[in-house]
Amino acid sequence: MLPHLFAQNSKDTTDIRKGRLIGVSTLAATAYIGGMTGLYYLWYKDYDQSGFHTINDNKAWLQVDKIGHSFSTYQMGRVAYTGFRWAGLDEKKSTWIGGSYGFLFLTTVEIFDGMSTNWGFSWGDVAANAAGTSLFIGQQLLWEEQRIGLKFSYSPTKYAAYNPELLGENSIERFLKDYNGQTYWLSINPQSFSSSRKIFPKWLNIAVGYGAKGMTGTYYNPTDINGEPIPSFQRTRQFYLSLDLDLTKIKTRSEFLRLVLEVANMIKIPFPALEYNREDGLEFHAIYF
């Protein structure tokens, strides 16, 4: 039963189970409607509304936020797909319906932005949403499995303390808003591309990461915050090479542990890493997260 929740191959077919399908569909619809309603009343309602308009924010945060959009749509699509497969929907329908869920969710948020005076509809965000969705759907259609995952890691930074209103005033806010501490990874499973299937352990991945540092403002760094001068930092892109684990490849008979591993697989596992950035050159991290 529950192990079929994680079947990613069309050979693992099941008949449609109406009860499950109704439950998954209801949960997805409730999350969508509830999420949009909550966002409006908890966020947008308190800000001035305007006619629909667009903005070009492609230079913001050295594009770390854009990759964050791709990550969100990829993971939301992966979760929704998994739910529909568990309900017995066939591979293609689960891929298209479930895989598109994140794009629908975040593009609706983008429309809210477009009607808010403080923000605007960003075609760059929509393109990033589409990229994450395409990464998931494309692999399911081509291989019926995810050989390249999009993962996330975070480490606290010193930069948030200089502009807490923008980058977060506590640990939870900084986790979400401090783009200096966020790293996004393409986690590639070499074994799945190997014809011999013996070169790499099936659970070992190679990860390529991207992040940025030195950002105390959205587009540029302010020289002062509320009249208080702050240090000058160089806004710098960071590129990483590391190892990772594909937790879904770990065998277990425990249904609960299988669920935990599936959810946890969106997080990059800490490993040694090489970093390159133009400010410091090549650096080695004994453990990077």
Side-chain angles (χ1 to χ4, degrees), residues 4-5 14-17 20-26 28-29 77-91 93-99 101:
H4 291 294
L5 174 63
T14 57
D15 294 329
I16 291 179
R17 303 191 178 187
R20 290 185 179 185
L21 185 58
I22 291 172
V24 170
S25 301
T26 301
R78 185 173 70 92
V79 170
Y81 159 86
T82 301
F84 283 116
R85 285 294 285 144
W86 174 67
L89 209 61
D90 67 51
E91 174 68 21
K93 288 181 180 178
S94 296
T95 296
W96 283 108
I97 297 174
Y101 182 80

Side-chain angles (χ1 to χ4, degrees), residues 192-203:
S192 62
F193 291 98
S194 171
S195 58
S196 68
R197 301 286 171 138
K198 295 179 181 179
I199 298 177
F200 294 91
K202 62 182 180 179
W203 41 262

Side-chain angles (χ1 to χ4, degrees), residues 220-267:
Y220 62 89
N221 291 348
T223 57
D224 65 88
I225 301 293
N226 298 324
E228 294 292 330
I230 64 172
S232 175
F233 299 108
Q234 181 176 337
R235 297 166 72 91
T236 308
R237 303 176 191 275
Q238 299 166 293
F239 303 91
Y240 299 92
L241 180 64
S242 183
L243 296 175
D244 187 33
L245 301 181
D246 184 346
L247 300 180
T248 64
K249 297 293 196 300
I250 298 176
K251 293 183 178 180
T252 176
R253 294 184 178 181
S254 169
E255 296 179 351
F256 175 75
L257 183 56
R258 189 185 297 270
L259 175 61
V260 171
L261 292 173
E262 181 74 16
V263 173
N265 204 47
M266 67 179 63
I267 303 298

Side-chain angles (χ1 to χ4, degrees), residues 142 166 187 208 249 270:
L142 184 60
L166 183 62
S187 186
V208 180
K249 297 293 196 300

Side-chain angles (χ1 to χ4, degrees), residues 84-147:
F84 283 116
R85 285 294 285 144
W86 174 67
L89 209 61
D90 67 51
E91 174 68 21
K92 282 194 174 181
K93 288 181 180 178
S94 296
T95 296
W96 283 108
I97 297 174
S100 300
Y101 182 80
F103 183 81
L104 172 65
F105 193 101
L106 287 191
T107 301
T108 305
V109 174
E110 205 60 44
I111 293 173
F112 282 175
D113 281 350
M115 296 185 291
S116 178
T117 303
N118 287 15
W119 298 279
F121 182 94
S122 168
W123 284 109
D125 286 353
V126 173
N129 295 343
T133 296
S134 298
L135 179 63
F136 176 80
I137 291 178
Q139 291 185 86
Q140 287 301 132
L141 294 177
L142 184 60
W143 299 312
E144 295 186 1
E145 65 177 352
Q146 295 296 297
R147 299 182 180 184

Side-chain angles (χ1 to χ4, degrees), residues 4-114:
H4 291 294
L5 174 63
F6 308 112
Q8 291 194 342
N9 194 299
S10 59
K11 295 178 181 179
D12 300 319
T13 56
T14 57
D15 294 329
I16 291 179
R17 303 191 178 187
K18 291 184 178 180
R20 290 185 179 185
L21 185 58
I22 291 172
V24 170
S25 301
T26 301
L27 180 60
T30 300
Y32 175 79
I33 296 171
M36 296 305 107
T37 303
L39 276 172
Y40 176 77
Y41 282 101
L42 295 176
W43 186 260
Y44 294 99
K45 185 175 179 292
D46 295 330
Y47 292 94
D48 294 335
Q49 302 296 298
S50 67
F52 184 82
H53 62 285
T54 64
I55 61 169
N56 183 348
D57 62 350
N58 293 335
K59 294 183 179 180
W61 304 115
L62 295 178
Q63 295 80 50
V64 175
D65 64 319
K66 294 294 183 283
I67 302 179
H69 275 261
S70 298
F71 168 81
S72 297
T73 54
Y74 174 86
Q75 292 296 345
M76 292 174 74
R78 185 173 70 92
V79 170
Y81 159 86
T82 301
F84 283 116
R85 285 294 285 144
W86 174 67
L89 209 61
D90 67 51
E91 174 68 21
K92 282 194 174 181
K93 288 181 180 178
S94 296
T95 296
W96 283 108
I97 297 174
S100 300
Y101 182 80
F103 183 81
L104 172 65
F105 193 101
L106 287 191
T107 301
T108 305
V109 174
E110 205 60 44
I111 293 173
F112 282 175
D113 281 350

